[in-house]
Amino acid sequence: MSRLIVVSNRVSPPAEEGAASVGGLAMALAAGLRQYKGVWFGWSGRTTEHFDGALATTETDGVTIATVDLEEIDVQEYYNGYANKTLWPLFHYRIDLTAYDRSFGEGYDRVNRRFAETIRPLIEPDDIVWIHDYHLIPMGRELRRLGVKNPIGFFLHIPWPARQLVTTLPRHRQLVEALFAYDLVGFQTTEWLDAFKDYVVHEVEGRVGEDGRIEAFGASTRAAAFPIGIDAKEFATAVHSPAAMRMYDRMAANTVFRSMIVGVDRLDYSKGLEERLLGYERFLQDYPEYRREVFMLQIAPLSRDDVDTYQDLRARLDALSGRINGAYADADWSPIGYVNRNYRRDELAGIYRAARVGLVTPLRDGMNLVAKEYVAAQNPDDPGVLILSRFAGAALQMKDALIVNPFSPEEVAEALKRALSMDREERIRRWRALYNGVVREDVNAWRDSFVAALEATRTDGGQPVGRSLRT
Ligand code: ADQ
């Protein structure tokens, strides 16, 4: 088996899993790499006065973790700039929040070049290279410039937006052309894959073959959907750990005779937190018989807090949760618990299990792992109900959830009412179907199918790549 070189903006060593790291990509890769020997490379999260490409390496569970420091200007232009002020909002359909600044693009290209130059000496002839997410789209092209002939794959963890949005990006053609340096490009769902193909066909007169091969810019690549999953078995086991059970008991004691509704999201505008709170407020208003019978716990750890938009969102959420509590709370009951801290994974498992409803309502999300974690943590004999936004990639797989439009407070309120009054038989039936899917399409299946498809490009016999989503 060839060695796998994984590259992502940040790395989260498996040993640290469950500690401070938050974010779907880190969770998925930490779980995915555990059984794979190889290298995981990315930014250390630290800055240095002058970039020198010095690698810090450690070894954990047979995985070499290699990190590099960046200059402050790199962090401002590449990470806070092009990645998080340009690509992230645009790819999540928030053109109103998207900043187009020439220096961001320059910083983005520079850091991608620096990453490629730093990792180049570690790449051996038999290795395969797997680059992750929107921070690093041009890195494959930079590696090719340095003479790397190995199979290189790219996986986009966030949505690929509609063509009309992509074309608002200055130099969008260069960005898309960079994807053609890869042997394989993976998307979370067929919806994002189709949007990418639509761009290639209608914007740059490319061609899409039946077998997943895509040609444009005088080059060709392969593209397919590889829906990411969680380590479902591990998560279901974590539920029985002492930390999970302690947390479950704490939650149960806090909600005696009440049903808990839980939301767990990085504090990000794509997650629909304001709309969710408004939906919950509408629920309290429209169904007064449920007041005092429910408690909503929204866990939202701070994320990208040095970007203004995130600080603004935080202030609005503080105000909104305060307003709802102010309007409806009683001496011995408050409708919302709103917390900004991180929890260990086993603690989260206990929290999910104690919740009668998992409320997952992003406005746009590549996949969404919280929906899958919530399902994995449920008690099979008395499971809770998942309410899921139709705009999460996960909605294409998790059809037995209550699917809602998160922009409609009425729809969210009605779904809450339906979930809270659903009989046990229906809860079990829905949960079983969801759980089977979460176990079948787990993180190992995701990693293995991507790596196999990438390996296959070495001797590309024109075989179709990727797995299609269960429909
Ligand atoms: P994210 O946008 O970070 O991921 P998501 O898939 O929901 O979104 O993953 C979040 C992860 O962080 C989950 O594993 C969750 O348990 C964890 N987490 C959240 N809050 C936490 C807290 N307070 N304490 C501890 N852990 C917490 C991006 C894309 C997604 C895609 C993933 C993976 O935006 O659409 O599903 O990558 O590809």
Side-chain angles (χ1 to χ4, degrees):
M1 191 164 61
S2 31
R3 252 181 11 147
L4 182 62
I5 310 248
V6 167
V7 185
S8 59
N9 172 59
R10 293 295 303 275
V11 301
S12 163
E16 285 179 18
E17 193 189 344
S21 58
V22 173
L25 186 150
M27 294 302 155
L29 288 183
L33 263 170
R34 210 175 296 134
Q35 292 153 21
Y36 234 100
K37 308 293 170 213
V39 179
W40 188 0
F41 168 69
W43 173 38
S44 62
R46 286 186 297 272
T47 53
T48 175
E49 196 96 342
H50 296 292
F51 180 82
D52 58 6
L55 272 177
T57 55
T58 54
E59 181 130 349
T60 319
D61 287 354
V63 177
T64 303
I65 306 291
T67 58
V68 70
D69 299 347
L70 291 175
E71 290 174 18
E72 184 56 37
I73 188 158
D74 293 335
V75 177
Q76 291 313 329
E77 293 178 351
Y78 147 82
Y79 181 68
N80 286 334
Y82 204 73
N84 287 333
K85 287 187 185 153
T86 308
L87 293 181
W88 176 272
L90 181 64
F91 281 36
H92 288 87
Y93 286 66
R94 291 301 303 268
I95 194 166
D96 55 320
L97 299 179
T98 305
Y100 304 98
D101 186 312
R102 181 181 290 236
S103 70
F104 291 174
E106 287 163 5
Y108 184 68
D109 288 345
R110 180 177 65 247
V111 170
N112 271 273
R113 215 165 35 243
R114 287 180 163 176
F115 265 40
E117 285 163 0
T118 308
I119 194 71
R120 174 71 187 100
L122 294 194
I123 301 175
E124 293 169 11
D126 278 345
D127 292 346
I128 59 173
V129 182
W130 188 4
I131 294 173
H132 289 262
D133 229 3
Y134 59 101
H135 315 84
L136 301 174
I137 291 173
M139 190 176 159
R141 181 190 66 203
E142 297 303 326
L143 286 171
R144 295 287 183 227
R145 280 190 182 145
L146 296 170
V148 174
K149 301 268 188 308
N150 305 51
I152 311 180
F154 176 81
F155 185 79
L156 185 69
H157 289 255
I158 65 176
W160 182 270
R163 171 165 49 103
Q164 291 79 353
L165 285 168
V166 180
T167 52
T168 64
L169 188 67
R171 298 167 64 243
H172 55 89
R173 289 170 83 99
Q174 281 97 320
L175 190 78
V176 178
E177 186 175 7
L179 286 169
F180 285 77
Y182 293 102
D183 296 290
L184 177 65
V185 178
F187 297 92
Q188 298 271 25
T189 70
T190 47
E191 190 180 340
W192 317 139
L193 172 65
D194 289 345
F196 175 70
K197 289 179 183 168
D198 180 63
Y199 175 97
V200 171
V201 170
H202 294 105
E203 191 61 32
V204 294
E205 287 162 16
R207 274 178 17 130
V208 173
E210 291 279 297
D211 58 355
R213 186 182 291 280
I214 302 194
E215 292 168 7
F217 307 101
S220 89
T221 185
R222 287 172 163 279
F226 299 89
I228 200 168
I230 61 164
D231 194 338
K233 293 240 167 72
E234 182 245 32
F235 210 81
T237 311
V239 165
H240 302 291
S241 66
M245 293 204 291
R246 248 192 331 271
M247 192 49 109
Y248 177 91
D249 288 344
R250 274 173 62 190
M251 293 293 116
N254 195 37
T255 52
V256 181
F257 305 125
R258 290 196 175 114
S259 299
M260 182 163 93
I261 300 162
V262 77
V264 177
D265 313 74
R266 279 186 310 102
L267 203 153
D268 191 289
Y269 47 82
S270 67
K271 302 294 182 186
L273 292 162
E274 282 176 281
E275 290 75 4
R276 186 178 313 166
L277 292 187
L278 291 171
Y280 181 59
E281 184 180 40
R282 174 60 66 97
F283 169 76
L284 295 175
Q285 203 177 312
D286 288 359
Y287 303 101
E289 67 277 20
Y290 278 94
R291 292 180 201 161
R292 304 183 59 87
E293 303 290 313
V294 290
F295 170 69
M296 174 167 170
L297 175 63
Q298 177 61 55
I299 299 176
L302 303 185
S303 165
R304 305 173 193 168
D305 206 36
D306 39 5
V307 176
D308 293 349
T309 317
Y310 287 77
Q311 291 163 5
D312 296 347
L313 173 65
R314 187 178 165 194
R316 287 200 303 279
L317 287 169
D318 286 347
L320 188 54
S321 56
R323 186 185 89 196
I324 298 171
N325 272 339
Y328 291 98
D330 209 334
D332 59 348
W333 172 69
S334 15
I336 300 183
Y338 174 60
V339 278
N340 292 126
R341 54 160 291 192
N342 283 340
Y343 289 90
R344 292 160 45 104
R345 305 207 38 78
D346 41 12
E347 290 176 331
L348 265 190
I351 294 173
Y352 288 135
R353 194 174 178 98
R356 172 44 50 99
V357 180
L359 190 52
V360 183
T361 53
L363 306 182
R364 193 68 59 172
D365 215 336
M367 176 56 66
N368 193 294
L369 297 180
V370 169
K372 298 185 174 186
E373 291 167 359
Y374 176 76
V375 166
Q378 294 309 297
N379 175 356
D381 295 327
D382 190 17
V385 179
L386 175 66
I387 299 179
L388 180 60
S389 161
R390 57 175 295 168
F391 302 117
L396 280 168
Q397 290 169 297
M398 306 184 83
K399 295 202 159 120
D400 290 281
L402 297 184
I403 304 289
V404 293
N405 172 4
F407 293 97
S408 162
E410 289 83 7
E411 236 181 81
V412 173
E414 277 163 26
L416 281 169
K417 157 88 170 65
R418 194 167 159 210
L420 289 163
S421 54
M422 191 179 286
D423 64 40
R424 187 162 156 263
E425 202 181 317
E426 182 176 353
R427 281 189 280 120
I428 291 179
R429 182 171 54 69
R430 286 176 179 272
W431 174 80
R432 272 207 191 120
L434 289 169
Y435 183 73
N436 289 339
V438 167
V439 169
R440 190 176 52 243
E441 304 194 305
D442 72 352
V443 72
N444 299 311
W446 168 75
R447 177 203 61 213
D448 292 346
S449 59
F450 188 94
V451 169
L454 184 55
E455 282 276 13
T457 64
R458 281 186 204 271
T459 51
D460 200 329
Q463 294 301 310
V465 292
R467 299 177 306 135
S468 53
L469 288 169
R470 188 167 61 95
T471 50

